[in-house]
Amino acid sequence: MSTVRGARERARIEVTAAIKDEARRMLAAEGAAKLSLRAVARELGMVSSALYRYFPSRDELLTALIVDAYDSVGAAAERADAAGAPPRRRWLAICEAFRSWALAHPHEYALIYGSPVPGYSAPLDTVGPASRVGNTLIGVVRAAYEGRGLALPPLPDSLRPEAARMTEDFAEGLPPEVTAALVVAWAQLVGMVSFELFGQFNRVVEDRAGLFTHAAGQLAQGVGLPAV
């Protein structure tokens, strides 16, 4: 009985992977807004009712793809983080890994960092995976703060309550000044990659890798990391 159950589980894993692979192909060809379970089933030679046993709705399939994408880029960032290296070097390596992943997976990047999918609202299941890159960067900054210390960025008094709230929410133990700077740095990091990936740098920036490395260094300075 256990052998039969094991075979069924393997078959389910294989079919689930095939469904997601076909959905990713459709994302690349037509975009997330046009993804449908019927189209995926048709391309795989399945009846729609069979596919619904794996993903009861388009939104559940989208959520699975989104979680996979966040986990993939999160794993890339975590692999790049060389614990024990100087904080600035760790920060730059994570940023470079984020950009490299995006260039290698442009359609998955667009799914998680591009325009929202009409009619789709991401469930709480996506929050943990979505936080992995940010948490890796926060970990670098926290280690620096607890070690050699940070140069505290300026923070207007009017933003201090919001910065304190964010610190309590996801950066406990860091000064509010640093938390606010981290949020700005994250937005700028995604903006740099998005500008490159979505064509806003066309006919403007030729050495995009060089500009990105420079920008990542500026972001490191902005959150207070030491220069060496």
Side-chain angles (χ1 to χ4, degrees):
M1 184 66 71
S2 60
T3 302
V4 173
R5 184 164 54 249
R8 288 175 178 170
E9 290 173 354
R10 288 194 298 273
R12 184 174 183 83
I13 291 171
E14 291 172 1
V15 174
T16 299
I19 292 169
K20 291 197 286 188
D21 285 344
E22 179 57 31
R24 291 189 189 98
R25 189 195 66 77
M26 289 187 172
L27 288 178
E30 303 182 45
K34 294 186 177 180
L35 180 67
S36 75
L37 293 183
R38 289 183 180 275
V40 172
R42 182 171 58 249
E43 291 299 320
L44 291 176
M46 299 173 64
V47 295
S48 298
S49 58
L51 192 145
Y52 290 141
R53 291 200 293 269
Y54 295 86
F55 296 100
S57 68
R58 181 210 68 159
D59 284 6
E60 292 200 24
L61 176 55
L62 268 176
T63 295
L65 298 177
I66 288 168
V67 168
D68 283 354
Y70 277 132
D71 277 336
S72 179
V73 67
E78 291 160 3
R79 286 193 301 269
D81 182 15
R88 180 183 173 88
R89 188 183 304 170
R90 293 173 63 188
W91 175 278
L92 293 177
I94 294 165
C95 291
E96 294 287 357
F98 180 74
R99 174 179 179 266
S100 295
W101 183 90
L103 294 177
H105 305 86
H107 303 294
E108 291 171 84
Y109 179 91
L111 176 63
I112 55 179
Y113 296 114
S115 299
V117 180
Y120 174 79
S121 180
L124 289 177
D125 296 359
T126 62
V127 173
S131 303
R132 289 178 65 175
V133 177
N135 284 340
T136 306
L137 292 170
I138 290 172
V140 172
V141 174
R142 180 177 285 113
Y145 177 65
E146 294 172 350
R148 295 175 55 189
L150 300 169
L152 294 185
L155 180 68
D157 289 341
S158 60
L159 278 179
R160 194 163 292 277
E162 175 63 9
R165 184 200 62 77
M166 291 190 294
T167 298
E168 184 177 351
D169 189 27
F170 57 80
E172 188 175 358
L174 289 178
E177 295 90 342
V178 174
T179 303
L182 275 165
V183 172
V184 171
W186 174 244
Q188 291 177 330
L189 175 63
V190 174
M192 284 289 297
V193 173
S194 295
F195 261 52
E196 179 175 3
L197 206 61
F198 301 147
Q200 281 89 349
F201 281 158
N202 291 350
R203 300 185 181 181
V204 178
V205 180
E206 293 185 2
D207 184 6
R208 296 167 189 173
L211 180 64
F212 180 85
T213 298
H214 170 71
Q218 293 295 105
L219 298 180
Q221 180 179 341
V223 299
L225 289 177
V228 292

